């Protein structure tokens, strides 16, 4: 377990604020890089968070529940958001490998 830089895991200020607000408790990233391990911690504006799980998956494994943990109201809305924030270089492919990171505020 290590202290990680939140800049590595959380891609922008909007996501960081949503994590602080409790709207995002999970983030899926491309499998090419590993950003954290279960048990790692990070600090956002004085609030400590712990990575509770890290799971290798595919985009096709994601569910509505995953989308909600990632800050979207549904899987369809999540798909549309991913295509919007990755213009030109992203196409939803259910076989694409990802790593899903779950985290929560540490007690």
């Amino acid at each position: 377990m290590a202290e990680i830089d939140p800049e590595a895991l959380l891609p922008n200020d909007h996501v960081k604020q949503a994590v602080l607000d409790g709207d995002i408790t999970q983030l899926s990233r491309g499998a090419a890089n590993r950003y954290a391990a279960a048990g790692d911690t990070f600090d956002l504006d004085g609030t400590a968070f712990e990575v509770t799980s890290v799971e290798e998956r595919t985009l096709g494994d994601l569910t509505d529940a995953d989308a909600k943990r990632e800050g979207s109201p549904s899987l369809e809305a999540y798909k549309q958001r991913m295509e919007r924030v990755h213009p030109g270089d992203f196409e939803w492919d259910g076989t694409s490998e990802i790593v899903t990171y779950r985290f929560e505020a540490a007690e």
Side-chain angles (χ1 to χ4, degrees), residues 29-45:
R29 307 285 306 264
N33 296 306
R34 279 294 176 121
Y35 298 98
D40 285 353
T41 59
F42 60 92
D43 182 87
L44 280 179
D45 293 341

Side-chain angles (χ1 to χ4, degrees), residues 1-53:
M1 141 168 64
E3 172 106 11
I4 62 168
D5 181 355
E7 300 285 329
L9 179 60
L10 309 176
N12 58 53
D13 290 340
H14 174 77
V15 170
K16 290 175 194 160
Q17 188 59 54
V19 169
L20 283 169
D21 293 341
D23 297 330
I24 292 179
T25 59
Q26 168 181 305
L27 201 63
S28 296
R29 307 285 306 264
N33 296 306
R34 279 294 176 121
Y35 298 98
D40 285 353
T41 59
F42 60 92
D43 182 87
L44 280 179
D45 293 341
T47 301
F49 289 85
E50 181 178 350
V51 177
T52 58
S53 70

